[in-house]
Amino acid sequence: MDDKTAQLAKILQESDNIVFFGGAGVSTASGIPDFRSSDGLYSQKLGRNFTPEQLVSHSFFMRYPDDFFDFYKKNLVYPDAEPNDCHIALAKLEEMGRLKAVITQNIDGLHQAAGSKTVYELHGSVLRNYCTKCHSFYDADFILAAKGIPLCPKCHGVIKPDVVLYEEGLDEDVITGAIQAISEADTLIIGGTSLVVYPAAGLIDYFHGRHLVLINKSSTPADSKADLVINDSIDKVMREALSSLQS
Ligand SMILES: [Zn+2]
Protein backbone atom coordinates (compact mmCIF):
# COMPACT_ATOMS: atom_id res chain seq x y z
CA MET A 1 0.00 0.00 0.00
CA ASP A 2 1.43 3.38 -0.93
CA ASP A 3 1.42 6.58 1.08
CA LYS A 4 -1.75 8.02 -0.39
CA THR A 5 -3.77 4.86 0.16
CA ALA A 6 -2.57 4.87 3.77
CA GLN A 7 -3.82 8.48 4.04
CA LEU A 8 -7.18 7.38 2.65
CA ALA A 9 -7.37 4.55 5.20
CA LYS A 10 -6.70 7.07 7.98
CA ILE A 11 -9.49 9.34 6.69
CA LEU A 12 -11.91 6.37 6.55
CA GLN A 13 -10.89 5.50 10.11
CA GLU A 14 -11.72 9.01 11.33
CA SER A 15 -15.06 9.29 9.52
CA ASP A 16 -18.52 8.10 10.43
CA ASN A 17 -20.49 9.93 7.75
CA ILE A 18 -18.82 9.10 4.45
CA VAL A 19 -20.61 9.74 1.17
CA PHE A 20 -19.29 8.31 -2.07
CA PHE A 21 -19.99 9.89 -5.44
CA GLY A 22 -19.04 7.75 -8.43
CA GLY A 23 -18.96 7.83 -12.21
CA ALA A 24 -18.28 5.45 -15.09
CA GLY A 25 -14.75 4.63 -13.84
CA VAL A 26 -16.26 2.75 -10.89
CA SER A 27 -17.68 0.08 -13.22
CA THR A 28 -14.86 -0.27 -15.76
CA ALA A 29 -13.21 -3.01 -13.64
CA SER A 30 -16.53 -4.89 -13.94
CA GLY A 31 -16.16 -4.83 -17.72
CA ILE A 32 -18.59 -1.98 -18.35
CA PRO A 33 -17.03 0.68 -20.57
CA ASP A 34 -18.23 4.28 -20.58
CA PHE A 35 -20.80 4.30 -23.39
CA ARG A 36 -19.51 7.72 -24.41
CA SER A 37 -16.31 5.98 -25.53
CA SER A 38 -18.17 3.90 -28.13
CA ASP A 39 -18.09 4.74 -31.82
CA GLY A 40 -21.78 5.56 -31.97
CA LEU A 41 -23.91 3.99 -34.63
CA TYR A 42 -24.20 4.22 -38.38
CA SER A 43 -27.81 3.95 -39.43
CA GLN A 44 -28.19 2.33 -42.85
CA LYS A 45 -31.80 3.36 -42.99
CA LEU A 46 -31.16 6.99 -42.09
CA GLY A 47 -27.88 7.16 -44.01
CA ARG A 48 -25.95 8.93 -41.28
CA ASN A 49 -23.79 8.44 -38.24
CA PHE A 50 -24.92 9.26 -34.71
CA THR A 51 -22.78 10.03 -31.67
CA PRO A 52 -23.36 8.08 -28.43
CA GLU A 53 -24.85 11.21 -26.83
CA GLN A 54 -27.35 11.64 -29.66
CA LEU A 55 -28.31 7.96 -29.48
CA VAL A 56 -29.28 8.15 -25.82
CA SER A 57 -31.26 11.38 -26.10
CA HIS A 58 -34.98 11.70 -25.51
CA SER A 59 -35.67 12.98 -29.01
CA PHE A 60 -33.79 10.08 -30.58
CA PHE A 61 -35.73 7.58 -28.47
CA MET A 62 -39.01 9.16 -29.61
CA ARG A 63 -38.10 9.41 -33.30
CA TYR A 64 -36.02 6.29 -33.89
CA PRO A 65 -36.83 3.79 -31.14
CA ASP A 66 -35.52 0.81 -33.12
CA ASP A 67 -32.08 2.41 -33.56
CA PHE A 68 -32.18 3.54 -29.93
CA PHE A 69 -32.72 0.00 -28.66
CA ASP A 70 -30.14 -1.39 -31.06
CA PHE A 71 -27.47 0.85 -29.49
CA TYR A 72 -28.87 0.60 -25.97
CA LYS A 73 -28.82 -3.19 -25.82
CA LYS A 74 -25.27 -3.40 -27.18
CA ASN A 75 -23.70 -0.58 -25.18
CA LEU A 76 -25.63 0.07 -21.99
CA VAL A 77 -26.85 -3.28 -20.66
CA TYR A 78 -24.36 -5.81 -19.22
CA PRO A 79 -26.37 -8.64 -17.65
CA ASP A 80 -23.28 -10.68 -16.71
CA ALA A 81 -21.34 -7.86 -15.00
CA GLU A 82 -20.39 -8.47 -11.36
CA PRO A 83 -19.55 -5.94 -8.63
CA ASN A 84 -15.81 -5.23 -8.34
CA ASP A 85 -13.66 -4.44 -5.30
CA CYS A 86 -14.80 -0.81 -5.24
CA HIS A 87 -18.50 -1.75 -5.05
CA ILE A 88 -17.72 -4.38 -2.40
CA ALA A 89 -15.58 -2.01 -0.27
CA LEU A 90 -18.35 0.63 -0.29
CA ALA A 91 -20.98 -1.92 0.77
CA LYS A 92 -18.70 -3.01 3.64
CA LEU A 93 -18.13 0.58 4.76
CA GLU A 94 -21.90 1.06 4.91
CA GLU A 95 -22.30 -2.18 6.88
CA MET A 96 -19.62 -0.91 9.33
CA GLY A 97 -21.72 2.22 9.85
CA ARG A 98 -19.09 4.54 8.37
CA LEU A 99 -20.67 5.22 4.98
CA LYS A 100 -24.15 6.77 4.72
CA ALA A 101 -24.82 6.91 1.00
CA VAL A 102 -23.57 6.11 -2.48
CA ILE A 103 -24.46 8.53 -5.24
CA THR A 104 -23.85 7.17 -8.71
CA GLN A 105 -24.03 8.26 -12.30
CA ASN A 106 -23.97 4.61 -13.37
CA ILE A 107 -27.07 2.72 -14.43
CA ASP A 108 -25.86 -0.85 -13.90
CA GLY A 109 -27.24 -1.60 -10.42
CA LEU A 110 -23.87 -3.00 -9.26
CA HIS A 111 -23.81 -1.10 -5.95
CA GLN A 112 -27.03 -2.81 -4.87
CA ALA A 113 -25.70 -6.13 -6.19
CA ALA A 114 -22.70 -5.68 -3.87
CA GLY A 115 -25.02 -5.08 -0.92
CA SER A 116 -25.22 -1.27 -0.69
CA LYS A 117 -28.55 -0.14 0.75
CA THR A 118 -28.67 3.66 0.34
CA VAL A 119 -27.94 4.34 -3.31
CA TYR A 120 -28.98 7.45 -5.23
CA GLU A 121 -28.99 6.57 -8.91
CA LEU A 122 -28.87 9.97 -10.59
CA HIS A 123 -29.31 8.51 -14.05
CA GLY A 124 -31.67 5.66 -13.23
CA SER A 125 -31.14 1.93 -13.84
CA VAL A 126 -31.22 -0.47 -16.77
CA LEU A 127 -32.71 -3.04 -14.38
CA ARG A 128 -36.04 -1.17 -14.30
CA ASN A 129 -38.19 -0.72 -17.39
CA TYR A 130 -41.75 0.51 -17.69
CA CYS A 131 -44.46 0.41 -20.34
CA THR A 132 -45.03 3.99 -21.52
CA LYS A 133 -48.79 3.31 -21.71
CA CYS A 134 -49.83 1.12 -18.76
CA HIS A 135 -46.65 1.47 -16.61
CA SER A 136 -46.21 -2.28 -16.16
CA PHE A 137 -42.72 -3.23 -14.97
CA TYR A 138 -40.21 -5.29 -16.98
CA ASP A 139 -36.69 -6.45 -16.09
CA ALA A 140 -33.53 -6.11 -18.18
CA ASP A 141 -33.77 -9.68 -19.52
CA PHE A 142 -37.16 -8.89 -21.03
CA ILE A 143 -35.66 -5.90 -22.90
CA LEU A 144 -32.64 -7.90 -24.09
CA ALA A 145 -34.80 -10.79 -25.32
CA ALA A 146 -37.17 -8.54 -27.27
CA LYS A 147 -36.69 -8.42 -31.03
CA GLY A 148 -36.45 -4.79 -32.11
CA ILE A 149 -38.50 -2.36 -30.04
CA PRO A 150 -39.65 -3.99 -26.76
CA LEU A 151 -43.45 -3.86 -26.61
CA CYS A 152 -45.70 -4.47 -23.62
CA PRO A 153 -47.46 -7.85 -23.94
CA LYS A 154 -50.47 -6.42 -22.09
CA CYS A 155 -51.17 -3.24 -24.06
CA HIS A 156 -48.57 -3.12 -26.88
CA GLY A 157 -47.11 0.15 -25.57
CA VAL A 158 -43.40 0.83 -26.02
CA ILE A 159 -41.35 -0.14 -22.95
CA LYS A 160 -38.90 2.55 -21.83
CA PRO A 161 -35.86 1.93 -19.63
CA ASP A 162 -35.93 3.85 -16.33
CA VAL A 163 -32.79 5.67 -17.44
CA VAL A 164 -32.44 9.44 -17.59
CA LEU A 165 -31.78 10.24 -21.26
CA TYR A 166 -30.10 13.38 -22.55
CA GLU A 167 -32.65 16.25 -22.64
CA GLU A 168 -34.54 14.69 -19.71
CA GLY A 169 -34.46 16.10 -16.18
CA LEU A 170 -33.18 14.23 -13.14
CA ASP A 171 -35.63 12.74 -10.66
CA GLU A 172 -36.37 15.37 -7.99
CA ASP A 173 -36.41 12.93 -5.06
CA VAL A 174 -33.11 11.37 -6.09
CA ILE A 175 -31.33 14.70 -6.49
CA THR A 176 -32.78 16.03 -3.22
CA GLY A 177 -31.60 12.92 -1.36
CA ALA A 178 -28.15 13.15 -2.90
CA ILE A 179 -27.76 16.82 -1.97
CA GLN A 180 -28.95 16.11 1.58
CA ALA A 181 -26.44 13.27 1.98
CA ILE A 182 -23.54 15.37 0.65
CA SER A 183 -24.40 18.37 2.82
CA GLU A 184 -24.36 16.19 5.97
CA ALA A 185 -21.21 14.20 5.13
CA ASP A 186 -17.93 14.55 7.01
CA THR A 187 -16.02 12.89 4.16
CA LEU A 188 -16.86 13.00 0.46
CA ILE A 189 -15.07 10.55 -1.81
CA ILE A 190 -15.46 11.22 -5.52
CA GLY A 191 -14.31 8.42 -7.76
CA GLY A 192 -14.19 7.28 -11.35
CA THR A 193 -15.42 10.52 -12.84
CA SER A 194 -13.69 13.35 -14.62
CA LEU A 195 -16.27 15.64 -12.99
CA VAL A 196 -17.17 17.34 -16.23
CA VAL A 197 -20.57 15.67 -16.73
CA TYR A 198 -23.57 17.46 -15.25
CA PRO A 199 -24.52 17.43 -12.37
CA ALA A 200 -21.33 16.11 -10.75
CA ALA A 201 -19.43 19.39 -10.65
CA GLY A 202 -22.30 21.30 -9.00
CA LEU A 203 -22.92 18.69 -6.30
CA ILE A 204 -19.48 19.20 -4.72
CA ASP A 205 -20.52 22.72 -3.74
CA TYR A 206 -22.93 21.24 -1.17
CA PHE A 207 -20.11 19.56 0.70
CA HIS A 208 -18.92 21.33 3.87
CA GLY A 209 -17.27 18.42 5.68
CA ARG A 210 -13.67 17.77 6.62
CA HIS A 211 -12.20 15.56 3.90
CA LEU A 212 -12.68 15.75 0.15
CA VAL A 213 -11.00 12.82 -1.59
CA LEU A 214 -10.70 12.41 -5.37
CA ILE A 215 -9.83 9.04 -6.86
CA ASN A 216 -9.57 8.99 -10.64
CA LYS A 217 -7.13 7.71 -13.24
CA SER A 218 -6.59 11.21 -14.61
CA SER A 219 -6.73 14.67 -13.05
CA THR A 220 -10.04 16.54 -12.65
CA PRO A 221 -11.04 20.23 -12.47
CA ALA A 222 -11.66 19.82 -8.71
CA ASP A 223 -8.19 18.50 -7.78
CA SER A 224 -7.15 21.80 -6.21
CA LYS A 225 -10.13 21.71 -3.81
CA ALA A 226 -9.35 18.20 -2.54
CA ASP A 227 -7.45 17.14 0.60
CA LEU A 228 -6.29 14.01 -1.13
CA VAL A 229 -6.01 13.18 -4.84
CA ILE A 230 -5.23 9.61 -5.90
CA ASN A 231 -4.64 8.92 -9.59
CA ASP A 232 -5.03 5.15 -9.71
CA SER A 233 -7.60 2.40 -10.32
CA ILE A 234 -10.41 2.92 -7.87
CA ASP A 235 -11.08 -0.79 -7.28
CA LYS A 236 -7.46 -1.33 -6.22
CA VAL A 237 -7.35 1.82 -4.04
CA MET A 238 -10.60 1.02 -2.23
CA ARG A 239 -9.68 -2.65 -1.71
CA GLU A 240 -6.30 -1.73 -0.15
CA ALA A 241 -7.67 1.10 1.99
CA LEU A 242 -10.45 -1.09 3.35
CA SER A 243 -8.20 -4.04 4.14
CA SER A 244 -5.88 -1.78 6.14
CA LEU A 245 -8.91 -0.43 7.99
CA GLN A 246 -10.06 -3.94 8.90
CA SER A 247 -6.63 -5.23 9.94
ZN1 LIG B 1 -48.44 -1.77 -21.20
Side-chain angles (χ1 to χ4, degrees), residues 131 134 152 155:
C131 171
C134 75
C152 177
C155 78

Side-chain angles (χ1 to χ4, degrees), residues 131-136 138 152-157:
C131 171
T132 51
K133 269 194 192 164
C134 75
H135 306 292
S136 291
Y138 295 94
C152 177
K154 295 176 194 162
C155 78
H156 305 290

Side-chain angles (χ1 to χ4, degrees), residues 70-142:
D70 189 18
F71 181 81
Y72 175 84
K73 287 191 222 176
K74 282 182 197 141
N75 295 281
L76 279 89
V77 190
Y78 293 84
D80 300 326
E82 305 264 1
N84 63 55
D85 286 339
C86 176
H87 299 106
I88 292 164
L90 292 169
K92 284 194 178 141
L93 284 168
E94 185 180 22
E95 200 183 289
M96 293 160 78
R98 297 187 181 280
L99 181 139
K100 299 302 180 203
V102 169
I103 301 163
T104 182
Q105 296 181 296
N106 299 338
I107 55 176
D108 49 43
L110 290 181
H111 287 292
Q112 291 93 332
S116 285
K117 300 285 185 274
T118 305
V119 182
Y120 297 103
E121 296 174 305
L122 294 176
H123 295 163
S125 172
V126 299
L127 303 183
R128 298 184 299 265
N129 305 274
Y130 295 96
C131 171
T132 51
K133 269 194 192 164
C134 75
H135 306 292
S136 291
F137 170 86
Y138 295 94
D139 63 15
D141 288 341
F142 184 92

Side-chain angles (χ1 to χ4, degrees), residues 168-223:
E168 293 179 341
L170 301 180
D171 183 284
E172 282 292 327
D173 291 342
V174 174
I175 191 83
T176 304
I179 288 172
Q180 176 91 13
I182 289 176
S183 63
E184 292 171 355
D186 60 12
T187 294
L188 178 62
I189 304 172
I190 300 177
T193 169
S194 53
L195 279 176
V196 289
V197 181
Y198 172 84
L203 282 174
I204 301 185
D205 296 336
Y206 292 94
F207 178 65
H208 304 292
R210 284 187 298 163
H211 303 291
L212 178 62
V213 180
L214 296 179
I215 308 169
N216 197 47
K217 281 196 172 159
S218 55
S219 60
T220 79
D223 284 4

